[in-house]
Amino acid sequence: MDVSEEAYARAREIRLVLFDVDGVLTDGRIYLDDSGAEIKAFHTHDGHGIRLLLHYGFEVGVITGRTSKSLEHRMKDLGVKHVYQGCKDKFLVFQELLSGLKLDERQAAYVGDDIFDLQIMTRCGLAVAVANANVHIKQHAHCETINTGGRGAAREVCELVLDAQGLLDQVLSHNLR
């Protein structure tokens, strides 16, 4: 990911990383089985990045307008406690979460792909657009991933935050032993 000095500096302040789901943690397609149940595909690289953030004490969450059992199962498997589904007002959820965690906006990163993410992205400390994001989202992002949503974009963000805070070398050296 090509990151400006400003975006890298913003990443140093992050304590909470939030993701949209459809188009960010997934490729944006919605799969329905014959009974109408929704099925989502998640990338293992993204999941490992989320686990690394949690391991190093970061708060991680998802805020999405849709509701899905598959998302609920995936977040439980990863250990993500902050899961907000069916959100009509993502910004209100964002504000309530910050208040509950006693964090301010500059300590939160948000990864989005569509116009419903703009309100949070224009207020958070680090706004990241996935490579396949809507053009209006890209205009308001501090940086953009190389990978598209559902294909490793979230992992890039996790590694950016870890790197900016001096933790990525620790992750790499631990895994080289």
Side-chain angles (χ1 to χ4, degrees):
M1 177 174 4
D2 187 26
V3 180
S4 69
E5 287 292 325
E6 177 198 359
Y8 198 75
R10 287 173 174 273
R12 283 190 203 103
E13 303 297 318
I14 300 306
R15 298 304 317 143
L16 167 66
V17 181
L18 295 168
F19 300 93
D20 177 34
V21 176
D22 297 309
V24 173
L25 292 180
T26 74
D27 65 9
R29 293 184 288 176
I30 297 170
Y31 299 91
L32 300 173
D33 69 13
D34 288 343
S35 67
E38 189 171 306
I39 302 166
K40 296 185 182 298
F42 300 96
H43 201 292
T44 59
H45 291 175
D46 293 337
H48 187 66
I50 289 169
R51 281 192 174 111
L52 287 171
L53 286 177
L54 292 168
H55 174 79
Y56 284 98
F58 293 89
E59 297 287 345
V60 178
V62 296
I63 303 176
T64 180
R66 297 184 59 81
T67 301
S68 165
K69 283 285 191 192
S70 56
L71 174 65
E72 186 179 313
H73 292 299
R74 181 63 175 149
M75 293 301 105
K76 183 178 180 185
D77 178 56
L78 293 175
V80 174
K81 295 180 289 190
H82 307 292
V83 180
Y84 301 93
Q85 299 193 68
C87 298
K88 300 298 180 224
D89 186 343
K90 289 184 175 187
F91 188 68
L92 178 62
V93 171
F94 173 68
Q95 290 177 312
E96 289 173 354
L97 181 57
L98 289 177
S99 177
L101 294 172
K102 297 181 179 19
L103 297 173
D104 64 43
E105 292 175 346
R106 71 178 168 76
Q107 293 176 293
Y110 187 84
V111 187
D113 74 313
D114 211 341
I115 58 173
F116 301 108
D117 302 315
L118 270 177
Q119 198 171 16
I120 296 175
M121 292 181 74
T122 57
R123 298 286 295 274
C124 68
L126 177 65
V128 182
V130 295
N132 56 317
N134 176 283
V135 66
H136 302 292
I137 291 298
K138 291 180 178 185
Q139 292 171 352
H140 292 281
H142 298 112
C143 56
E144 181 182 329
T145 64
I146 294 169
N147 290 307
T148 58
R151 300 192 184 276
R155 175 64 171 271
E156 290 181 56
V157 177
C158 297
E159 289 186 1
L160 166 61
V161 171
L162 291 167
D163 187 41
Q165 298 192 24
L167 297 168
L168 189 58
D169 286 340
Q170 189 175 338
V171 170
L172 295 172
S173 66
H174 175 76
N175 286 294
L176 289 175
R177 287 189 236 151

